[in-house]
Amino acid sequence: MMKNESTLPAVQESGSASEAEAPERKFGTGRSGLVIPGLLLVIGTYLLIGIVNMQVPDGAKAPGPKFFPILITVAIYVLAALLVIQLLRKPEPAPADRVAYRSYTDWKTVAKIVLGFLIFALLLVPVGWLICAAFLFWIVSHALGSKRALGDVGVAVVFSSCIQLAFGAGLGLNLPSGILEGLIG
C-alpha cells in the first residue's frame, strides 16, 4: 500500500511538471494580430486629417460631402478598437507543434484582386462606374472562390446599380457614366 500512495503524488507532480515545461507566455505571444488594428488606426487617422482639411462649399446641402467619410472613419476606429479588445482578451493560441504549423499567402488570389482594382482604377472614367464596379465586385468574388459566375455577375450589376442610384438620387453626386453617358446621368 505504501508504494501506491507514494506513486499517487508522483503522478500529480508529473502533471504539474508538464505545465512547468510549457514556455513562459509573454504579453506579445499570440498577439501578432495587433498589426491589423494598427494599420486601421493609420488609415483612420489619414482619413480624419483629410476630413478636417476638406474644403466644403458654403452652399453644400446636408448631409454634405463630409458625411460618408466621417461614417467610414468612425467605423474604422470602432473596428480597430474591437479587434484590440478581442486580441487582448483572447490571444491567438500558439500551435503545439511549431514545425507542422505553416501559414501561407494565396498569392494567386491576391494578384487577381490587385489586378481587379488596377483595372477598375484605369477604366473608371472612360468605361463608367456601373460597368467597372460590377467588374470589380465580380472579380473579387471569383478570386475568393465563388463558383457561380453568372449569379455573381447579376449580383454585381444590381449592387453597382444601387450604389449609382444612391449617389445620384440620394446625394446628388454623379459617378462617372463612361460609355453609358446617354443612358445614365
Side-chain angles (χ1 to χ4, degrees):
M1 285 291 248
M2 205 61 161
K3 288 183 181 178
N4 286 343
E5 289 176 7
S6 65
T7 58
L8 183 60
V11 171
Q12 289 176 351
E13 288 177 7
S14 69
S16 63
S18 66
E19 290 173 6
E21 291 174 8
E24 184 181 321
R25 192 167 179 100
K26 298 178 184 172
F27 176 76
T29 304
R31 291 187 171 92
S32 61
L34 289 173
V35 170
I36 300 298
L39 289 173
L40 286 174
L41 289 174
V42 169
I43 292 169
T45 304
Y46 175 76
L47 288 175
L48 185 63
I49 291 169
I51 292 168
V52 169
N53 293 329
M54 185 185 292
Q55 300 295 325
V56 179
D58 292 333
K61 295 180 186 177
K66 290 186 176 184
F67 181 70
F68 280 109
I70 289 172
L71 283 180
I72 291 170
T73 304
V74 168
I76 287 174
Y77 281 132
V78 168
L79 181 61
L82 290 174
L83 284 171
V84 167
I85 290 169
Q86 178 187 6
L87 287 168
L88 291 178
R89 289 181 62 205
K90 297 179 183 177
E92 300 168 3
D97 184 12
R98 291 183 184 257
V99 176
Y101 179 76
R102 267 193 69 92
S103 64
Y104 67 94
T105 301
D106 186 0
W107 290 109
K108 184 178 176 183
T109 300
V110 171
K112 284 181 184 179
I113 292 173
V114 168
L115 184 64
F117 273 107
L118 184 62
I119 291 170
F120 172 80
L122 292 174
L123 296 179
L124 180 61
V125 174
V127 175
W129 165 265
L130 195 63
I131 296 171
C132 285
F135 167 75
L136 180 62
F137 297 143
W138 177 80
I139 198 72
V140 169
S141 67
H142 175 72
L144 294 176
S146 177
K147 302 293 184 204
R148 305 174 325 131
L150 191 59
D152 293 340
V153 169
V155 170
V157 169
V158 168
F159 191 62
S160 62
S161 298
C162 289
I163 292 174
Q164 178 93 22
L165 287 172
F167 272 81
L171 297 173
L173 301 173
N174 294 325
L175 294 173
S177 298
I179 60 176
L180 301 175
E181 183 72 39
L183 300 173
I184 318 172

